[in-house]
Amino acid sequence: MKEEMSSVDIRYIVRELQWLIGSRVDKVYHDGDEIRIKLRTKEGRADLILQAGKRFHLTTYVKEAPKRPSSFTMLLRKHMSGGFVDAIEQHGFDRIVKVRVGDYTLIGELFRRGNVILVDSENRIIAALRYEEYRDRAIKPKAAYKFPPARENPLEVTRERFIKLMREEEDLELVRALARKLNMGGMYAEEISIRAGFEKTTPVRELSDDDLLRVYDAMMGTFNDEARPNIVFKDGNMHDVVPIELRIYDGLERRYFKTFSEALDEYFGRITLEKARIEQTKKLEARKRALLMTLRKQEEMLRGFEEGARANQEIGDLIYANYAFIERLLEEFRKATERLGWDGFKRRMEEGRKAGNKVALMVKGMDPAEKAVTLELEGKRVKLYLERSVGENAALYYEKAKKFRHKHEGALKAYEDTKRKLEEVERLIEDETGKELNVRRIERKKRKWFEKFRWFVSSEGFLVLAGKDAGTNEILVKKHMADGDLYCHADVYGAPHVVIKDGQKAGEKTILEACQFAVSMSRAWSRGVYSGDAYWARPEQVTKQTPSGEYLGKGAFMVYGKRNWLHGLPLKLAVGVVNYEGEDFVVCAPVEAMKAHTNRYVVIRPGSLRKSELVKRIKRILEGWGYKVREEDLMAVLPPGNGDIAEVVG
């Protein structure tokens, strides 16, 4: 199974991605060996992934960004963010790509372990994924970047040069000679052999110059073939992803794509998900082993506490069962130690044992410091304190038994908790094992015009738009509000302008939803209030004209005439995935509007949960329903400030 791109793949993807030239670098992310460049293109957002030693293409499989950006990330952002892509190139026919942004170039080495290096306009290294030194070059700060030793470029080799190279080692098989001499993998060497009409194992010495020229023409035809991106399947599993139709895969199942980026993204994206799932399963298995070990230790502790409680309870009972006998012994031992001292008492017991005295034979130990004697009574060792009564001695053991029982209760709760955790981990392992890799992704090639605003579709089917900031507020009212629309605004300073397209045809439900949206998307949400007031008016009432001497800033408008107020509107919204104009969008809207377009949504309200954490929780819920949603897309549609999940429907 293919795990990295070939020189041919890079040639085709670089040629395909030329449309990205002129795109603006929004942000750069770094995770392990992967660099992701978030671009703003004429078609909307695009994410360009560069993985050292592996791949280079546009992607829709966007990982969650690390919480703390690495120093490499910060350097890339410093020099690239806000710049424009001026060039995307392949170095020769090598597995090296170059993305030039202004005065800086990001170089991706896709061979072997790989590397990603940022250089300045003088080709000096600013930063790298890994700093390394080789025999002929060094990757270190401020050093001049050098490409690896040049290899033969099959696209530039002449016919004469081709024949000369092939004749240098005539004992080689054709496929080996092509791969070794002309910087191509064995797969393409085999493809060229087939297209030229020769067995790949044919020794070069058996081929005439005319035969070799046929191979040369087949090589040029292969590397300049019409793009037909496809994933090749073998035995139902992905086997390879290629930019052109290859004869070596005749008879195998293929899935075709519009672009090579889409094919590469699907292929490597699924591999990434599968590896992540395997890694997650490994982590869960390790967690399971740790829990099983904890469970065994807890079981041993429980048995120890049970035995301790039982043994001490039995000794306490034993003392009471022999009350009179023990009381007499305590009295005799007390007098003996007072008269003879502990040394004398010890000698007396030793003499008694030699004489076969039953009481002396029962004594198994003495503790002068604690004034205690240990007896063996009915097969059990009982420590008795001479200065305590029989009842007090028994109570000591009962108290120990009680403490063991308390410890047992606590250990039992911990044991049950560990069992629950183990069951949860086993369930997660089962879920990971059975999980399909067909997570739906919300992906669009071109942004719709209304996506620059906050928006939703009302329960009656009307498009409702709201500004995100002063700039979009200005654009919404001046460019997109028409005579037949309705204007809504919340009674909160800085609240967004809201427009109902064709709103004069809308009913009360749509107007109510739009006004509720205006309140919920205002600062009232971040203040944590639960209701607010808003009004609606006609477009002709909204203007930039002000009373004499007054000035309105960007995004601000005056509203003259009657305002139609709606009071006590609840600050409550729903988040879900809605299909509109044939595409899926993640949308935040009033609950009734959301309910009209989907039966699965998450209801939110102002609360204490940080917005970033709220986004993560909603994302997990949506992914559980099969939607692949980016955190930044959720962040963009949610109201400003913290919140809580009030209800999950679906």
Side-chain angles (χ1 to χ4, degrees):
M1 186 177 185
K2 181 176 188 169
E3 292 192 357
E4 65 276 326
M5 293 174 67
S6 68
S7 296
V8 181
D9 295 336
I10 295 169
R11 168 174 165 74
Y12 275 87
I13 195 64
V14 164
R15 191 164 63 182
E16 179 181 290
L17 294 181
Q18 293 306 302
W19 71 274
L20 291 177
I21 292 173
S23 300
R24 183 178 183 273
V25 176
D26 191 353
K27 208 165 186 180
V28 184
Y29 301 90
H30 164 221
D31 183 12
D33 281 347
E34 294 181 6
I35 304 298
R36 176 166 59 89
I37 306 172
K38 183 179 173 184
L39 299 171
R40 294 295 173 186
T41 78
K42 58 188 176 184
E43 299 293 333
R45 172 180 171 166
D47 288 89
L48 186 63
I49 193 164
L50 172 56
Q51 184 177 6
K54 298 289 183 183
R55 56 185 175 133
F56 175 70
H57 56 84
L58 292 176
T59 184
T60 57
Y61 288 87
V62 179
K63 290 182 180 179
E64 184 176 328
K67 292 181 180 179
R68 292 186 178 181
S70 66
S71 58
F72 187 46
T73 308
M74 299 309 292
L75 279 169
L76 292 178
R77 289 178 181 177
K78 176 183 176 181
H79 296 292
M80 296 179 67
S81 292
F84 293 88
V85 177
D86 294 323
I88 298 176
E89 301 169 338
Q90 179 181 19
H91 176 66
F93 196 68
D94 291 333
R95 292 166 61 192
I96 298 174
V97 295
K98 298 182 289 182
V99 181
R100 181 158 54 84
V101 178
D103 292 333
Y104 305 96
T105 301
L106 192 67
I107 301 170
E109 297 182 347
L110 305 185
F111 51 85
R112 295 191 295 275
R113 187 182 177 200
N115 207 340
V116 180
I117 305 104
L118 181 68
V119 301
D120 62 17
S121 58
E122 296 179 352
N123 208 38
R124 295 282 171 184
I125 296 172
I126 297 172
L129 194 62
R130 281 183 286 272
Y131 294 111
E132 299 173 320
E133 289 198 30
Y134 305 94
R135 184 179 61 183
D136 46 11
R137 66 191 189 114
I139 307 297
K140 58 184 181 181
K142 298 182 180 179
Y145 175 79
K146 293 182 181 179
F147 289 103
R151 301 177 66 190
E152 201 74 47
N153 185 343
L155 293 168
E156 295 179 355
V157 69
T158 63
R159 291 170 175 265
E160 294 74 18
R161 174 70 176 161
F162 178 80
I163 293 174
K164 181 180 178 182
L165 287 169
M166 298 297 284
R167 293 295 183 202
E168 285 179 352
E169 296 181 71
E170 290 195 307
D171 288 338
L172 287 178
E173 296 175 344
L174 176 59
V175 69
R176 292 183 182 276
L178 286 169
R180 183 180 297 182
K181 297 291 184 179
L182 288 148
N183 189 19
M184 70 180 77
M187 181 186 75
Y188 280 98
E190 185 175 347
E191 175 70 16
I192 290 165
S193 301
I194 292 172
R195 291 190 181 200
F198 299 108
E199 288 290 333
K200 64 180 181 178
T201 56
T202 305
V204 173
R205 65 172 179 273
E206 294 182 9
L207 299 174
S208 66
D209 286 357
D210 287 341
D211 291 337
L212 289 178
L213 289 177
R214 280 173 56 192
V215 176
Y216 176 87
D217 290 339
M219 179 181 72
M220 289 301 182
T222 301
F223 294 155
N224 290 285
D225 204 353
E226 177 188 358
R228 287 207 67 194
N230 63 94
I231 293 177
V232 180
F233 293 82
K234 185 180 286 187
D235 300 324
N237 299 313
M238 290 192 305
H239 176 69
D240 200 353
V241 56
V242 289
I244 58 176
E245 194 96 63
L246 294 181
R247 295 184 190 177
I248 57 172
Y249 290 139
D250 284 351
L252 294 180
E253 178 189 353
R254 307 181 205 206
R255 180 183 167 194
Y256 294 90
F257 294 81
K258 290 181 181 178
T259 68
F260 193 28
S261 250
E262 289 176 347
L264 289 165
D265 190 34
E266 180 69 11
Y267 182 87
F268 285 109
R270 283 180 173 265
I271 290 175
T272 300
L273 285 178
E274 181 65 21
K275 285 182 177 178
R277 186 171 70 182
I278 291 170
E279 188 61 30
Q280 174 66 8
T281 303
K282 284 181 181 178
K283 290 179 181 177
L284 290 171
E285 290 287 358
R287 177 71 176 145
K288 179 180 177 180
R289 288 193 295 273
L291 287 171
L292 284 170
M293 189 177 296
T294 301
L295 212 60
R296 284 194 290 271
K297 289 179 180 177
Q298 289 173 333
E299 287 171 349
E300 290 174 7
M301 289 176 63
L302 284 170
R303 286 194 291 270
F305 293 148
E306 285 176 352
E307 177 58 28
R310 183 191 60 77
N312 281 281
Q313 179 72 37
E314 287 180 353
I315 292 174
D317 293 344
L318 187 62
I319 291 173
Y320 269 110
N322 295 274
Y323 192 97
F325 174 67
I326 291 175
E327 187 176 42
R328 188 169 63 253
L329 281 182
L330 287 173
E331 180 63 26
E332 290 178 2
F333 289 167
R334 202 177 296 120
K335 289 178 180 179
T337 55
E338 288 175 358
R339 186 175 67 255
L340 302 172
W342 280 93
D343 289 340
F345 178 65
K346 185 176 181 181
R347 286 193 296 273
R348 176 69 62 85
M349 289 299 104
E350 288 173 354
E351 291 169 358
R353 277 194 290 274
K354 290 176 182 178
N357 182 277
K358 289 183 179 180
V359 171
L361 290 169
M362 292 173 66
V363 176
K364 299 299 181 183
M366 299 180 191
D367 188 345
E370 292 188 335
K371 296 181 181 180
V373 176
T374 300
L375 301 180
E376 185 172 308
L377 191 64
E378 296 183 15
K380 292 180 171 57
R381 295 209 168 196
V382 182
K383 189 174 185 178
L384 297 170
Y385 296 85
L386 304 188
E387 293 188 345
R388 295 177 183 268
S389 67
V390 176
E392 288 172 337
N393 271 286
L396 289 173
Y397 286 99
Y398 287 141
E399 185 61 28
K400 287 181 182 179
K402 183 179 178 181
K403 288 180 179 178
F404 274 116
R405 282 194 289 272
H406 283 163
K407 288 181 179 179
H408 183 273
E409 289 174 6
L412 187 60
K413 287 180 182 177
Y415 176 76
E416 294 297 333
D417 186 51
T418 302
K419 280 182 67 177
R420 281 193 296 272
K421 289 178 180 177
L422 181 62
E423 289 170 0
E424 175 66 14
V425 168
E426 288 175 337
R427 185 187 65 76
L428 289 172
I429 291 172
E430 185 177 344
D431 288 347
E432 288 292 327
T433 303
K435 190 185 291 180
E436 291 289 334
L437 292 179
N438 59 351
V439 179
R440 251 174 102 197
R441 289 171 289 154
I442 299 175
E443 50 182 306
R444 300 180 295 280
K445 293 301 175 188
K446 188 175 182 179
R447 281 169 61 87
K448 300 290 188 179
W449 70 270
F450 51 78
E451 288 186 85
K452 68 176 64 174
F453 308 105
R454 296 185 187 277
W455 67 277
F456 72 94
V457 180
S458 77
S459 56
E460 296 175 327
F462 290 87
L463 179 63
V464 180
L465 305 167
K468 292 182 176 181
D469 49 32
T472 52
N473 274 327
E474 187 89 10
I475 293 169
L476 176 60
V477 173
K478 292 178 73 173
K479 293 187 176 180
H480 294 285
M481 187 168 69
D483 291 341
D485 300 341
L486 282 184
Y487 170 85
C488 304
H489 196 263
D491 189 21
V492 179
Y493 178 75
H497 299 305
V498 176
V499 172
I500 308 171
K501 297 302 294 176
D502 288 326
Q504 294 182 30
K505 298 177 183 177
E508 291 182 1
K509 288 181 67 178
T510 294
I511 296 173
L512 178 67
E513 289 162 7
C515 287
Q516 185 187 353
F517 194 62
V519 171
S520 297
M521 287 298 177
S522 74
R523 294 177 185 176
W525 186 284
S526 58
R527 292 172 186 162
V529 301
Y530 285 88
S531 66
D533 303 334
Y535 65 87
W536 62 270
R538 294 179 178 274
E540 59 267 23
Q541 296 176 244
V542 185
T543 178
K544 274 283 187 183
Q545 293 180 358
T546 63
S548 178
E550 294 186 19
Y551 169 76
L552 291 176
K554 186 177 183 180
F557 292 85
M558 294 292 294
V559 179
Y560 293 96
K562 182 183 177 182
R563 302 183 184 190
N564 302 279
W565 286 94
L566 295 174
H567 300 286
L569 297 168
L571 274 74
K572 183 185 284 188
L573 296 170
V575 184
V577 176
V578 171
N579 189 278
Y580 182 61
E581 293 188 352
E583 292 187 20
D584 284 339
F585 299 88
V586 59
V587 175
C588 185
V591 177
E592 291 302 314
M594 184 65 68
K595 189 186 297 184
H597 300 288
T598 180
N599 56 6
R600 285 181 165 180
Y601 51 88
V602 181
V603 180
I604 61 172
R605 62 185 180 190
S608 57
L609 205 61
R610 290 178 60 185
K611 189 175 180 181
S612 57
E613 181 59 31
L614 182 63
V615 164
K616 287 182 173 63
R617 295 191 184 186
I618 295 173
K619 181 174 182 285
R620 285 196 291 269
I621 293 168
L622 294 179
E623 287 186 345
W625 291 336
Y627 296 105
K628 183 70 176 177
V629 182
R630 297 185 179 105
E631 281 191 18
E632 51 263 47
D633 290 342
L634 279 169
M635 188 70 75
V637 302
L638 292 188
N642 300 340
D644 285 324
I645 293 176
E647 185 182 4
V648 177
V649 178

